[in-house]
Amino acid sequence: MLNALDSKIPKVLVVDHNEMMCRRAVGFLNAAGFWAESVLNAKSALRYIETKSVDVVLLDVDMPVIDGYEACQRIRASEKGASLPIMMLTKRDDAAAIDMAFDAGATDFATKPVNWPVLPHRLRNMLRTSEVVEALDKSRSSLDAAQRITGLGSWEYNMVSGELIWSDNLYRIIGLEPQSCDSTLSLFMKYVVDKDRSTVYKWLSSDSVEPGKMLKQQILTEDGEERYVRIQLKNELDGDGMVVRKWGVVHDVTEQYQAEKKIHLLAYYDSLTRLPNRVLFCERLARDIAIARRTPKEIAVLFLDLDNFKRVNDSLGHAYGDLLLQEVGERLQSCAQEINDAYQLEEGPCTVARMGGDEFTVLLTGLYDRSEVIKFATAITNELSDVYVLDGNDCHTSSSIGISYYPEHGDSVDELLKAADIAMYEAKKRGKGCYQTYSLAMDANSIRRYKMEELLRAAIDNDELVLHYQPQLNLETGKLESVEALVRWNSAELGFVSPGDFIPLAEDTGLIVPIGEWVLRAACFQAVEWIATGVPLERIAVNISVLEFIRPDFLSIVGEIVAESGLDPLRLELEITESVLVDDTSSAVDTLRALKGMGFQLSIDDFGTGFSSLSQLKHFPIDRLKIDQSFVQGMLENVHDSAIVRAVLAMADSMGLSAIAEGVETSEQLEFLYSHECDEAQGYFLSRPVPGAAISALFAEFNQVEIRNTGTGD
Ligand code: C2E
Ligand code: CA
Ligand code: CA
């Protein structure tokens, strides 16, 4: 910059009303290496400056009309003249005259008569200074712009003079107007959050900070906004190794920090429940295992699964499912909080996580003993079985919990989770809503279960499912009139698997839906065939799982299958369980009415074991109650059972429902039922469930009728 000045000829504008004076000045300056021109008044000077290029102005104070002071002010006010070096020529050199010149905006002044040999040097000097100022100004403003863009503020501390300088953007970062107040260390400290203040102070004022070291800090700006900054510090040493100057940058990394936090949240937390996710849970468990290896202690892992989540999700929709999961997450978290409060640890012994779906895990580290774990599991079980009010609807769920312990059941994350998972399935098997601690014996069972699921998926395609039929006796006519279809799985690999074992598995995995469709279709086609061959079949009953019943497409699927088979809908009976009636009654009523409207018969299976009250029943369009076999089998010995059977029969009669007793194994039982006017009976005493091929012979023999034998059936 400065060299450029030497390489080009500086242009001087001489402003003086005295023509003689002008000529002299121009001549002298041109001879001294300038490019000079002159004008005779302020107006011409302003025009000249606006239209031509000028590097410096030599301005006489004494001019008529507009004097030099006013001319100087006007030049300063103009766009091009704002930072133009102006040397004023005055007759006086008293303090008042000098003040007036500078007040008007002069850069320098000289007295008249002019000392011509000195003037060129003073002009050059003035030009140089102005170049430097301009360059500094430029670099400062581009530095400030750069600092603004990058969110950087810089500071410089002179240890000798005690002077501390902040860049404009450092003021902005802490929420102040640039250079609006004195920059001091104590002022900066005011914005550092309380807990970190002494660390930061020590760090900044210490002589021995390693160069390039960084501190990440939270600050509270003047407006109370939370921001995150990185402070970097460098020391400048003198020859004796003493710190003479410190300087550094303050980097506003709030956006970056928030982005990192968001990424962390996405990576480590479940977005629905805001609980830690599988990744974070596994990391914490791994960390606790590593610690427990050094300082031995027991760790408990709880694996929790909701018992009927699928049902809520399928029947009420995913939005409700989500609400339920959120509520479960909150309840778990508050149980965990209680433990954490009791142990008074910041990151307590208890971490709750959502593994996905309706599976949650809890990590308990360093509890006094296992009884506390059990107490906790019990507390969760109770808490989660309380009614949920989701968007105004009551909803129930329960949870099954499996528990495993480090080091007894495994010494890795995978082993402990797997053991807890296996224990959870055992808990489910034992009846829902309970917990179970892992034991070695469970392993074999669970392998069987996983294997079974795999095979069951293929069972339909492999033609491994068959239906057996159990006849039902009409006690009034003394004839077999109906059958119940009962599915059987003849697995090529596992052999015969009873429905008691695979139906619950099918329900857990959703396989019940295709299996149920298969059963319905097979039963309808079979019934049509029997009727066509003269079997006096009044009705065929098919079991419907609640998971099928609540599906939105259930009605259309049943309708299609029945239509396809050609079976008269009046001859199809759908057996549902009481649990269908307990929750969410309004849509259950709608579905039942629709089914009734389509002509089907409806019965309540296992009646008496569920929660439905007799009075509740009148709201449902039911045809028949199937008295659960446990009551039938106990009714002759147990007064309680017999009371129930009689009450159900009396009630069914008064409500115009028909009643059928299941599980009739003896003639005495049959006699009792007959004498209490039960309508129908089913059980081993009459016949076990038999393959389809055996039915027509059974009906023929029992009913003493002749039926054409076509040799069809299984
Ligand atoms: P359920 O609907 O209560 O069926 C009656 C069960 O009791 C049948 O067992 C039957 O064989 C058995 N049983 C019949 N009479 C007697 C008796 O006199 N004494 C004794 N002790 N038991 C008797 P099964 O076939 O093992 O079926 C068990 C359960 O599996 C059924 O109970 C039903 O809930 C379910 N299930 C069977 N087939 C299907 C199906 O196609 N779909 C659905 N969703 N569930 C089915
Ligand atoms: Ca049944
Ligand atoms: Ca039953």
Side-chain angles (χ1 to χ4, degrees):
M1 266 309 208
L2 295 176
N3 293 340
L5 181 69
D6 295 331
S7 66
K8 71 169 204 194
I9 302 171
K11 295 189 189 101
V12 187
L13 177 66
V14 179
V15 189
D16 201 320
H17 75 292
N18 183 333
E19 233 171 298
M20 254 275 287
M21 182 62 190
C22 282
R23 266 205 299 279
R24 262 186 85 181
V26 168
F28 187 84
L29 288 170
N30 281 344
F34 291 87
W35 172 269
E37 280 193 295
S38 66
V39 291
L40 293 171
N41 55 48
K43 274 205 172 135
S44 310
L46 279 163
R47 208 176 310 124
Y48 189 101
I49 290 167
E50 282 309 311
T51 53
K52 298 183 178 167
S53 86
V54 181
D55 294 314
V56 59
V57 178
L58 194 61
L59 177 63
D60 186 25
V61 167
D62 304 305
M63 290 191 293
V65 192
I66 298 174
D67 71 6
Y69 297 120
E70 197 183 333
C72 187
Q73 279 172 346
R74 290 201 193 178
I75 294 170
R76 280 284 175 257
S78 72
E79 194 187 330
K80 285 189 166 173
S83 58
L84 195 61
I86 301 173
M87 177 168 286
M88 278 207 164
L89 295 176
T90 65
K91 277 199 187 117
R92 297 156 45 193
D93 65 350
D94 57 288
I98 296 167
D99 280 351
M100 274 174 76
F102 283 125
D103 285 350
T107 316
D108 202 355
F109 76 97
T111 48
K112 290 208 276 197
V114 177
N115 183 341
W116 292 109
V118 173
L119 186 66
H121 296 291
R122 291 198 56 181
L123 285 179
R124 282 214 165 82
N125 224 345
M126 201 168 73
L127 276 168
R128 242 184 223 118
T129 313
S130 105
E131 287 276 343
V132 172
V133 168
E134 204 176 308
L136 252 178
D137 213 44
K138 258 191 201 149
S139 70
R140 192 169 291 150
S141 66
S142 57
L143 180 67
D144 186 48
Q147 290 201 346
R148 262 180 198 244
I149 291 167
T150 54
L152 273 172
S154 57
W155 54 272
E156 200 182 313
Y157 185 45
N158 187 325
M159 304 283 277
V160 183
S161 69
E163 192 187 18
L164 179 70
I165 300 169
W166 292 356
S167 73
D168 287 355
N169 210 43
L170 181 49
Y171 280 89
R172 288 190 199 102
I173 288 173
I174 58 184
L176 295 171
E177 274 295 306
Q179 314 299 337
S180 58
C181 50
D182 277 353
S183 47
T184 61
L185 191 56
S186 62
L187 179 64
F188 183 72
M189 283 306 134
K190 204 182 111 187
Y191 299 99
V192 174
V193 293
D194 291 350
K195 68 177 172 52
D196 301 334
R197 196 166 292 133
S198 71
T199 323
V200 178
Y201 184 79
K202 263 192 221 134
W203 193 75
L204 285 176
S205 55
S206 140
D207 291 351
S208 57
V209 176
E210 304 152 40
K213 205 182 148 186
M214 248 192 241
L215 205 64
K216 203 164 172 194
Q217 219 40 68
Q218 194 187 346
I219 59 170
L220 267 183
T221 68
E222 186 67 17
D223 315 325
E225 192 189 344
E226 269 182 21
R227 300 202 75 85
Y228 292 84
V229 295
R230 254 195 322 242
I231 310 174
Q232 204 167 8
L233 177 86
K234 284 201 170 164
N235 292 328
E236 194 177 290
L237 309 178
D238 65 6
D240 303 329
M242 294 291 290
V243 180
V244 287
R245 203 170 69 102
K246 283 167 178 278
W247 54 272
V249 290
V250 175
H251 194 180
D252 183 347
V253 289
T254 311
E255 264 90 72
Q256 191 187 331
Y257 177 86
Q258 280 163 349
E260 276 167 14
K261 212 162 122 183
K262 203 165 161 193
I263 289 168
H264 179 84
L265 221 85
L266 285 175
Y268 286 104
Y269 288 84
D270 168 52
S271 57
L272 182 66
T273 59
R274 307 258 160 212
L275 290 174
N277 64 11
R278 176 186 289 272
V279 178
L280 184 55
F281 183 84
C282 291
E283 273 184 19
R284 291 215 177 140
L285 179 54
R287 181 198 63 186
D288 286 0
I289 291 172
I291 296 171
R293 279 195 191 120
R294 276 181 271 125
T295 46
K297 61 180 158 195
E298 193 159 63
I299 300 171
V301 172
L302 276 62
F303 201 108
L304 184 151
D305 186 283
L306 298 183
D307 290 328
N308 56 353
F309 178 69
K310 229 178 144 45
R311 205 173 131 190
V312 173
N313 223 23
D314 289 353
S315 65
L316 298 175
H318 289 281
Y320 280 90
D322 285 355
L323 285 178
L324 178 62
L325 290 173
Q326 279 170 341
E327 173 81 32
V328 166
E330 276 165 30
R331 291 187 190 186
L332 284 173
Q333 191 67 291
S334 75
C335 289
Q337 196 55 48
E338 266 172 43
I339 283 220
N340 287 346
D341 288 348
Y343 276 75
Q344 295 195 328
L345 295 174
E346 200 172 307
E347 196 176 317
C350 188
T351 298
V352 178
R354 177 169 173 231
M355 300 304 259
D358 60 342
E359 291 175 353
F360 295 83
T361 47
V362 183
L363 168 61
L364 289 163
T365 301
L367 294 192
Y368 300 126
D369 58 37
R370 289 191 182 184
S371 71
E372 282 192 87
V373 176
I374 299 304
K375 237 164 60 194
F376 182 68
T378 313
I380 300 182
T381 313
N382 290 339
E383 196 63 38
L384 295 188
S385 62
D386 249 13
V387 63
Y388 295 76
V389 183
L390 307 174
D391 212 16
N393 288 310
D394 281 6
C395 170
H396 291 271
T397 185
S398 56
S399 56
S400 299
I401 302 175
I403 307 172
S404 67
Y405 290 98
Y406 168 89
E408 192 190 326
H409 301 137
D411 66 353
S412 71
V413 171
D414 283 351
E415 281 173 6
L416 289 170
L417 276 176
K418 192 172 163 224
D421 188 16
I422 290 170
M424 184 274 290
Y425 271 112
E426 283 299 311
K428 277 214 167 168
K429 245 179 130 178
R430 287 201 4 218
K432 307 191 161 171
C434 61
Y435 63 84
Q436 177 70 53
T437 301
Y438 174 80
S439 81
L440 258 178
M442 292 174 185
D443 241 359
N445 284 335
S446 93
I447 289 166
R448 190 174 140 88
R449 190 188 155 91
Y450 287 123
K451 180 106 196 146
M452 202 186 208
E453 181 182 338
E454 212 173 280
L455 295 173
L456 185 56
R457 272 180 205 285
I460 300 178
D461 292 340
N462 294 346
D463 261 344
E464 292 180 345
L465 297 181
V466 282
L467 287 185
H468 280 192
Y469 301 88
Q470 188 172 33
Q472 299 173 333
L473 177 72
N474 182 328
L475 292 176
E476 205 179 320
T477 62
K479 295 199 165 153
L480 295 184
E481 289 180 354
S482 327
V483 294
E484 175 180 2
L486 294 157
V487 69
R488 302 285 177 263
W489 178 21
N490 210 344
S491 165
E493 199 149 328
L494 301 174
F496 178 83
V497 187
S498 90
D501 278 340
F502 76 84
I503 294 289
L505 175 70
E507 287 183 329
D508 280 353
T509 53
L511 285 170
I512 191 66
V513 175
I515 290 176
E517 272 179 43
W518 181 90
V519 168
L520 190 63
R521 181 171 281 111
C524 290
F525 276 89
Q526 176 66 83
V528 168
E529 195 181 299
W530 279 330
I531 292 164
T533 57
V535 177
L537 185 77
E538 287 290 325
R539 255 179 10 243
I540 184 162
V542 172
N543 291 284
I544 303 295
S545 156
V546 61
L547 285 175
E548 295 173 77
F549 181 83
I550 58 179
R551 282 175 65 89
D553 56 1
F554 178 64
L555 290 172
S556 60
I557 288 178
V558 179
E560 270 166 39
I561 290 176
V562 175
E564 212 182 293
S565 70
L567 181 68
D568 177 354
L570 291 169
R571 295 187 187 276
L572 178 64
E573 178 170 82
L574 302 175
E575 290 190 8
I576 54 167
T577 52
E578 278 172 283
S579 57
V580 164
L581 316 180
V582 176
D583 280 349
D584 180 39
T585 42
S586 70
S587 80
V589 171
D590 291 346
T591 309
L592 290 172
R593 289 212 177 113
L595 290 168
K596 202 67 223 143
M598 290 158 85
F600 304 123
Q601 305 219 18
L602 302 171
S603 65
I604 306 286
D605 204 356
D606 306 337
F607 188 76
T609 57
F611 303 103
S612 59
S613 64
L614 299 178
S615 61
Q616 213 182 343
L617 274 182
K618 61 175 178 283
H619 303 299
F620 299 98
I622 299 295
D623 301 285
R624 190 167 289 104
L625 301 178
K626 294 194 78 174
I627 305 171
D628 189 70
Q629 43 183 287
S630 61
F631 305 117
V632 175
Q633 276 153 21
M635 68 191 172
L636 295 184
E637 291 90 41
N638 183 316
V639 286
H640 183 67
D641 287 347
S642 101
I644 289 179
V645 171
R646 278 180 288 135
V648 172
L649 290 175
M651 197 239 1
D653 186 46
S654 75
M655 285 174 67
L657 301 176
S658 97
I660 176 167
E662 284 194 273
V664 180
E665 292 183 347
T666 64
S667 61
E668 290 80 14
Q669 287 165 350
L670 194 65
E671 188 54 41
F672 180 93
L673 292 164
Y674 183 77
S675 64
H676 286 88
E677 294 181 339
C678 181
D679 302 292
E680 287 169 89
Q682 173 183 350
Y684 290 174
F685 178 69
L686 298 158
S687 165
R688 292 192 169 243
V690 295
I695 283 292
S696 68
L698 199 63
F699 268 53
E701 185 201 20
F702 204 97
N703 296 349
Q704 316 241 302
V705 293
E706 212 171 302
I707 299 167
R708 277 173 286 142
N709 192 347
T710 57
T712 53
D714 298 331

